[in-house]
Amino acid sequence: MQIRIYYEDTDAGGVVYHTNYIKYCERARSQMFFDDGKKLGENNCHFVVKKIDAEFFKPAYLGDLIEVKTEILELKGASVDVLHTINRGEDKLFCARILIVFVNNFKPARLPEEIKEFFNKYLKK
Amino acid sequence: MQIRIYYEDTDAGGVVYHTNYIKYCERARSQMFFDDGKKLGENNCHFVVKKIDAEFFKPAYLGDLIEVKTEILELKGASVDVLHTINRGEDKLFCARILIVFVNNFKPARLPEEIKEFFNKYLKK
Amino acid sequence: MQIRIYYEDTDAGGVVYHTNYIKYCERARSQMFFDDGKKLGENNCHFVVKKIDAEFFKPAYLGDLIEVKTEILELKGASVDVLHTINRGEDKLFCARILIVFVNNFKPARLPEEIKEFFNKYLKK
Amino acid sequence: MQIRIYYEDTDAGGVVYHTNYIKYCERARSQMFFDDGKKLGENNCHFVVKKIDAEFFKPAYLGDLIEVKTEILELKGASVDVLHTINRGEDKLFCARILIVFVNNFKPARLPEEIKEFFNKYLKK
């Protein structure tokens, strides 16, 4: 998934504000669902972020076109361990391991088979 | 209501990103309700913004402490005409006239008496 | 320019937070420059927003694909009067007339010929 | 440092959007400097975030008043290991260990003595 950097993404340091890289990861996860024709938040079920383990390598600048790559590290009973990498061309800018938990009315719930199959396609080998 | 400018508020131009001034106006409106012990979005009722008429005079910078002043210009059947002014000390930075509409399940609804009385206290003379 | 609505764009009202529509307008203006191979903020010159006159018709929801249309209403000596319209399919969601001023080191400056020609292509007839 | 939750902070899930907790940590770090009469980004020096290790326990809601506590875990040559905890009353909502690096023109640089002394006051025992 490609993302363009606009003024709204930057801060007075002249680079992308640090939490925005984590926003882009969420965009990428959502877009995976949209591309598959799925809706988010249906039947009071959705994912919440439980853990983030992120590292920043190089900054992105206004006008940059960056790419978010999403891979699944592990599928558990009620959660998914996701690895996001953000690159600008050959440059690695950011990576994050994000644990998301499937919830039904804000309580952790077993991942439906359909969603497991969906994520299985993105499983990192 | 006083607001401090943090990195998240600024952009690569080194000043506060323009739409953030309009966010601060919403913060000020919400804070008026919180200060009065009210909750927002109860009974499926809340306000939506219908019109914004804004003018920008001077920019705010990282670390600035600015002040948002809120006055009511007119109370109508289902809507409220609000005037926000943002200053930094003596400097006028921004002003906006914002028309907000009271909605019940996303349909315009008559302003409850309690809310009319509440806004009456802020009516500009 | 097409924009997808992600979680970050929405608020607890379940719809897109109102100032975000104005952000999308800025994205669309920036993208016009990027598409033309131009950079933003070069030689200490850039545009600042001076006035916004906006109206909200219908809300956008999580997952929506919306379209921002940008037209130039008038080119003045140092400023440009821009009309943005946001639609979701046939539905008109939002429109805004935004006056942007060309500045050199934060002081209004004459629009360079190159930029005038660029905007001329988008002049509303 | 106390932070009020406004509409802008929430998303369509009805709770605070996950990356915003990390924004609040940055607000708290900046506010420490402002409270001490310091400016940010002077002499081309500032801090950049290098690593984030965050865990989410409970969500915050519209209107909540939350508190961000900041402690220094370790002071290194060019970096600072910071622990942020966000609570709402007795409830622990979020914690993050954030490694920030001092940079001069975007290159890591030794922490000035003045800044070391400043952070020393917040060292966790």
Side-chain angles (χ1 to χ4, degrees):
Chain A
M1 183 198 191
Q2 288 198 315
I3 288 171
R4 174 75 73 171
I5 305 304
Y6 299 105
Y7 269 114
E8 63 184 278
D9 299 300
T10 60
D11 70 21
V15 298
V16 168
Y17 185 68
H18 65 293
T19 69
N20 288 340
Y21 299 94
I22 306 173
K23 269 190 180 180
Y24 306 150
C25 294
E26 190 276 326
R27 283 190 203 175
R29 291 194 305 275
S30 292
Q31 191 59 46
M32 284 166 59
F33 279 80
F34 296 146
D35 286 347
D36 199 60
K38 287 188 169 50
K39 287 197 176 178
L40 296 175
E42 281 194 322
N43 311 317
N44 292 316
C45 290
H46 63 286
F47 284 94
V48 295
V49 171
K50 178 63 184 160
K51 283 187 187 176
I52 294 176
D53 202 340
E55 188 163 1
F56 301 75
F57 303 105
K58 289 184 180 182
Y61 300 93
L62 181 64
D64 278 359
L65 197 59
I66 61 175
E67 186 151 16
V68 187
K69 190 179 162 194
T70 303
E71 295 167 293
I72 305 303
L73 293 177
E74 197 186 348
L75 277 166
K76 297 172 188 172
S79 64
V80 187
D81 206 350
V82 189
L83 177 69
H84 296 282
T85 318
I86 300 184
N87 294 291
R88 180 189 48 222
E90 300 287 294
D91 282 341
K92 186 176 178 178
L93 306 183
F94 170 88
C95 78
R97 187 173 170 171
I98 299 183
L99 182 71
I100 57 173
V101 176
F102 188 71
V103 294
N104 188 330
N105 279 315
F106 293 97
K107 289 205 161 56
R110 283 202 80 73
L111 281 171
E113 278 309 310
E114 182 203 19
I115 288 180
K116 272 192 169 169
E117 280 169 31
F118 168 69
F119 278 123
N120 253 317
K121 290 182 286 181
Y122 300 91
L123 212 56
K124 191 183 164 85
K125 281 132 207 171
Chain B
M1 183 198 191
Q2 288 199 314
I3 288 170
R4 174 75 75 174
I5 306 304
Y6 299 104
Y7 269 114
E8 63 185 273
D9 298 299
T10 59
D11 70 20
V15 298
V16 168
Y17 185 67
H18 65 294
T19 70
N20 288 341
Y21 299 93
I22 306 174
K23 268 189 180 182
Y24 306 150
C25 296
E26 191 276 326
R27 283 191 203 175
R29 290 195 305 274
S30 292
Q31 192 58 46
M32 286 165 58
F33 279 80
F34 297 146
D35 286 346
D36 199 61
K38 288 188 168 51
K39 286 197 176 176
L40 295 174
E42 281 194 322
N43 310 319
N44 292 317
C45 290
H46 64 286
F47 284 95
V48 294
V49 172
K50 179 61 185 162
K51 283 187 188 177
I52 294 176
D53 202 341
E55 188 161 2
F56 302 75
F57 303 105
K58 289 182 178 183
Y61 300 93
L62 181 63
D64 278 357
L65 197 59
I66 61 174
E67 186 150 15
V68 187
K69 192 179 160 195
T70 304
E71 294 166 294
I72 305 303
L73 294 177
E74 198 186 347
L75 278 166
K76 297 173 190 172
S79 64
V80 187
D81 205 352
V82 190
L83 178 69
H84 296 282
T85 318
I86 300 184
N87 294 291
R88 181 188 48 221
E90 300 287 294
D91 282 341
K92 185 175 177 178
L93 306 182
F94 171 86
C95 78
R97 188 174 168 168
I98 300 184
L99 183 72
I100 56 173
V101 177
F102 188 71
V103 294
N104 187 330
N105 280 315
F106 292 99
K107 291 207 158 58
R110 283 202 80 74
L111 281 170
E113 277 309 310
E114 184 203 18
I115 288 181
K116 273 192 170 171
E117 280 168 32
F118 168 69
F119 277 124
N120 253 317
K121 291 182 285 182
Y122 300 92
L123 210 59
K124 190 184 166 83
K125 282 135 208 171
Chain C
M1 184 199 192
Q2 288 199 314
I3 288 170
R4 174 74 74 174
I5 306 303
Y6 298 105
Y7 270 113
E8 63 184 275
D9 299 299
T10 60
D11 69 22
V15 297
V16 168
Y17 185 66
H18 65 293
T19 70
N20 288 340
Y21 299 94
I22 306 173
K23 268 190 181 181
Y24 306 150
C25 296
E26 191 275 327
R27 282 191 204 174
R29 290 195 305 276
S30 292
Q31 192 58 47
M32 284 166 58
F33 279 80
F34 297 145
D35 286 347
D36 199 59
K38 288 188 170 50
K39 286 195 175 179
L40 295 174
E42 282 193 322
N43 310 319
N44 291 317
C45 290
H46 63 287
F47 284 94
V48 295
V49 172
K50 177 64 185 159
K51 284 188 187 176
I52 294 175
D53 202 341
E55 188 162 359
F56 301 77
F57 303 105
K58 289 182 177 180
Y61 300 94
L62 181 62
D64 278 358
L65 198 58
I66 62 175
E67 186 151 15
V68 188
K69 190 181 161 193
T70 303
E71 294 166 295
I72 306 303
L73 293 178
E74 197 186 348
L75 278 167
K76 297 173 190 171
S79 64
V80 187
D81 206 351
V82 189
L83 178 69
H84 296 283
T85 318
I86 301 183
N87 294 291
R88 182 188 47 222
E90 300 287 295
D91 283 339
K92 185 175 177 177
L93 305 183
F94 171 85
C95 78
R97 187 174 169 170
I98 300 184
L99 183 72
I100 56 173
V101 176
F102 188 71
V103 294
N104 187 330
N105 279 315
F106 292 98
K107 289 206 160 56
R110 284 202 79 73
L111 281 171
E113 277 308 311
E114 183 204 19
I115 288 181
K116 272 191 170 170
E117 280 168 32
F118 168 69
F119 277 124
N120 253 319
K121 290 183 285 181
Y122 298 91
L123 212 57
K124 191 184 164 83
K125 282 133 207 172
Chain D
M1 182 198 192
Q2 287 199 314
I3 287 170
R4 174 75 75 174
I5 305 304
Y6 299 106
Y7 270 113
E8 63 184 274
D9 299 300
T10 59
D11 70 20
V15 298
V16 168
Y17 185 68
H18 65 293
T19 70
N20 288 340
Y21 299 93
I22 306 173
K23 270 190 181 182
Y24 306 150
C25 296
E26 189 276 326
R27 283 190 203 176
R29 290 195 305 275
S30 292
Q31 191 58 47
M32 285 166 59
F33 279 81
F34 297 145
D35 286 346
D36 199 61
K38 287 189 170 49
K39 286 195 176 180
L40 296 175
E42 281 193 320
N43 309 319
N44 293 316
C45 289
H46 64 285
F47 284 95
V48 296
V49 172
K50 177 63 185 161
K51 283 188 188 176
I52 294 176
D53 202 340
E55 188 161 0
F56 301 76
F57 303 105
K58 287 183 179 183
Y61 300 92
L62 182 63
D64 278 359
L65 197 59
I66 61 174
E67 186 150 14
V68 187
K69 190 179 161 195
T70 304
E71 295 166 295
I72 305 303
L73 293 177
E74 197 185 350
L75 277 166
K76 298 173 189 170
S79 64
V80 187
D81 205 351
V82 190
L83 177 68
H84 296 282
T85 319
I86 300 184
N87 293 292
R88 181 189 48 223
E90 301 287 294
D91 282 341
K92 185 175 178 177
L93 306 183
F94 171 87
C95 78
R97 187 173 169 170
I98 300 184
L99 183 72
I100 56 173
V101 176
F102 187 72
V103 294
N104 187 329
N105 280 314
F106 293 98
K107 290 206 160 57
R110 282 201 81 73
L111 281 171
E113 277 309 310
E114 184 203 20
I115 288 181
K116 271 191 170 171
E117 281 168 31
F118 168 69
F119 278 123
N120 252 317
K121 293 183 284 183
Y122 299 92
L123 211 60
K124 191 183 164 85
K125 283 132 206 171

